[in-house]
Amino acid sequence: MNNTQPWEFTCKTCGGHKLNVTRVWKILAGPDSESWQEWGPLEADHHWRFKFKEKVEAEKDWDGDDEVDRWDFAEYTKDNSSSTPEEYEIFEPEGNPGNDRFYVNCANCDREIEFGWSQPNRGGLIFPVECSDFIPGGIWPEPRYLDSWHQKHWLRKGDNQP
Ligand SMILES: [Zn+2]
């Protein structure tokens, strides 16, 4: 597909070269909450495109009532230059961070890969740490990996205090 990919990823476990980005979020549905997820490939330019979406089933509740909704997303790319502001927006409004969870996984074996963002507050592009162009100290960590990156001395200067 894209021969000009500027970075390389080779999975330590399976040798795969592709990465998926997954976003998981919860919505309140009456007394229960539902979890949904959407996912798609991380592209060569560190944008990502969600191609699939489905409800995450609760582990216990298999009464046949909850069928999985899945459909293909229309072409969607996170693109700040887009002139259509009503387009599907993936980022939480400020003040409600941490409600959504983002994951980067090997597309082949599903191993979780740590990653960071090119801008603070989960902004910009996604940079998995195992990509060849990852620059420690130049990327804002996904909040889940803050402690891990702190131990590795990967945090940007001044980022030690949130
Ligand atoms: Zn793998």
Side-chain angles (χ1 to χ4, degrees):
M1 39 185 263
N2 191 346
N3 295 324
T4 60
Q5 180 149 318
W7 49 267
E8 288 179 15
F9 163 75
T10 301
C11 180
K12 292 184 289 197
T13 304
C14 74
H17 294 292
K18 297 210 181 318
L19 291 164
N20 276 338
V21 178
T22 304
R23 169 181 172 253
V24 181
W25 72 100
K26 269 197 165 74
I27 57 172
L28 288 175
D32 304 316
S33 63
E34 293 179 347
S35 289
W36 287 78
Q37 65 179 10
E38 59 190 352
W39 69 95
L42 183 69
E43 313 228 322
D45 57 1
H46 290 277
H47 287 90
W48 59 98
R49 184 180 305 176
F50 292 130
K51 296 176 82 169
F52 305 100
K53 178 178 177 178
E54 72 178 11
K55 186 175 168 182
V56 182
E57 299 296 336
E59 300 81 22
K60 50 187 176 85
D61 198 2
W62 271 114
D63 54 9
D65 199 29
D66 295 326
E67 65 187 49
V68 174
D69 275 321
R70 180 187 286 212
W71 62 90
D72 278 6
F73 261 93
E75 283 273 302
Y76 167 70
T77 307
K78 172 69 179 169
D79 183 353
N80 291 328
S81 67
S82 169
S83 59
T84 54
E86 73 277 14
E87 206 171 45
Y88 186 81
E89 180 59 60
I90 68 167
F91 288 110
E92 281 292 292
E94 280 184 53
N96 192 18
N99 201 23
D100 292 7
R101 284 175 292 162
F102 284 86
Y103 298 92
V104 173
N105 295 84
C106 172
N108 192 44
C109 72
D110 210 35
R111 184 170 61 88
E112 182 174 346
I113 314 289
E114 291 188 9
F115 67 95
W117 303 84
S118 65
Q119 293 171 21
N121 299 318
R122 291 170 145 183
L125 306 175
I126 283 181
F127 283 81
V129 305
E130 292 180 33
C131 281
S132 56
D133 64 350
F134 176 76
I135 307 165
I139 302 293
W140 276 266
E142 159 67 22
R144 281 200 318 278
Y145 306 131
L146 201 57
D147 288 345
S148 166
W149 288 32
H150 188 261
Q151 288 167 18
K152 287 182 269 205
H153 304 289
W154 281 1
L155 296 186
R156 302 170 61 96
K157 282 185 186 142
D159 279 1
N160 292 348
Q161 276 89 33

